[in-house]
Amino acid sequence: MKRFYILSLTAFLCVLCASAQSYYITGSAVPGGKTIPLEKWDDGSYKFHGTLLPGDLYIINTPEIGAITQYYAPQQVNSNIVCNGIQALLKRSADDAAWAVLFEADNYRFTISPSRLVTGEVFTWWYEAWIVGGCTEDGQGGWKLSAGKQMVQSEDDPYEWTWVGELKAYSSNEEPRRFKIIGQYDWGPKHLHPYKQDASILTAEKVIYNNSNDYKWTIEEDGYYRIKCNVFLETISGEYLGVNPPSDIGEELETATSVRAFGRTICVQSCEPVTVQLVSLSGQVVATAQGTDVKLQAPASGLYMVRADGHFTHFSRKVAVK
């Protein structure tokens, strides 16, 4: 009887550990040979974002390898962690349980779903991001791309996008308090959503990529907002700035505005529509454009002044054209 009791207790502890599910990664593909916990997401999945090295990657359920460790292995030996979806198998040993990492990169991202489906990628940063919805601009009726507000890419982190401006519940629009984020000037293929409908942007932390339910964030009050999103880390935050334009909004918008030269093409991205002039050192205006994402062509190489004017944005910056 005592032996039966001990076996039953051991089985109970194993079931208890399994119910309190956690995932960790280890192996030669993990920098420093560490064991790293995966982060639990709002839908019950677990995620990794970061650097991996060429080598073997093991997904396990304990912070240290021991008697109760389980390995979540690919169905075929040495399957790449970059995959469209592989159902993980449970194993009690490391034999044939490794996932393959072929090269070093700092932008690996993979997810383990509640059903243990593993999907992974080497993430590519976005080239644009837009806030679209019934609260961005009046007179839309159904949502229009032309009423979208372009976010500005950080010069320090290509995955981070920021927008500062006014959002209001426009009664003439469909879903007047809602918005989502798209990754191109079109409705697809890239779009970001909250994990539930009408999640407040003020308490938002995480995003879901290409949600089939088309959930949207909502604003609670009309006014000015600062919204930041990291498309690699799948995080988002929102801050309410008040009903009046903050005193430093011009400085913020100017800081968020990017001016970049690619050959003789000068690209300007702004959180608000601006009129941009390209001016030669002699003071001649050689090109003009308007919008939140504008491109101007310099007639020749040399130094130019880029002038931008909007409702809040007013600045001049020098740019070198090769």
Side-chain angles (χ1 to χ4, degrees), residues 48 50 52-53 55 57 59 74 78-86 99-105 107-111 118-124:
F48 171 81
L52 293 176
L53 307 175
L57 179 74
I59 302 173
N78 288 327
S79 292
N80 200 318
I81 193 62
V82 176
C83 60
N84 289 327
I86 297 176
W99 299 78
V101 178
L102 301 184
F103 56 89
E104 179 179 356
N107 53 336
Y108 278 100
R109 186 167 85 176
F110 67 84
T111 300
V118 178
T119 56
E121 63 180 327
V122 179
F123 185 77
T124 301

Side-chain angles (χ1 to χ4, degrees), residues 63-187:
E64 295 181 358
I65 296 177
I68 64 170
T69 297
Q70 292 180 318
Y71 293 80
Y72 297 87
Q75 296 192 19
Q76 296 182 338
V77 177
N78 288 327
S79 292
N80 200 318
I81 193 62
V82 176
C83 60
N84 289 327
I86 297 176
Q87 192 69 42
L89 303 175
L90 285 177
K91 293 191 174 184
R92 298 296 300 180
S93 76
D95 295 340
D96 296 331
W99 299 78
V101 178
L102 301 184
F103 56 89
E104 179 179 356
D106 62 3
N107 53 336
Y108 278 100
R109 186 167 85 176
F110 67 84
T111 300
I112 306 175
S113 76
S115 63
R116 299 200 303 270
L117 184 71
V118 178
T119 56
E121 63 180 327
V122 179
F123 185 77
T124 301
W125 66 61
W126 292 11
Y127 292 95
E128 53 186 327
W130 298 79
I131 293 175
V132 293
C135 57
T136 62
E137 193 172 293
D138 199 6
Q140 298 181 65
W143 292 11
K144 295 180 180 178
L145 288 171
S146 58
K149 304 302 178 184
Q150 186 166 25
M151 305 182 79
V152 174
Q153 188 178 35
S154 167
E155 294 186 358
D156 299 321
D157 184 347
Y159 304 120
E160 185 175 285
W161 295 83
T162 301
W163 179 79
V164 180
E166 187 177 28
L167 298 176
K168 296 179 66 175
Y170 296 106
S171 59
S172 64
N173 297 338
E174 294 180 6
E175 302 179 280
R177 291 191 175 275
R178 293 175 175 169
F179 73 90
K180 62 182 178 181
I181 296 173
I182 55 178
Q184 62 286 308
Y185 191 67
D186 202 344
W187 299 112

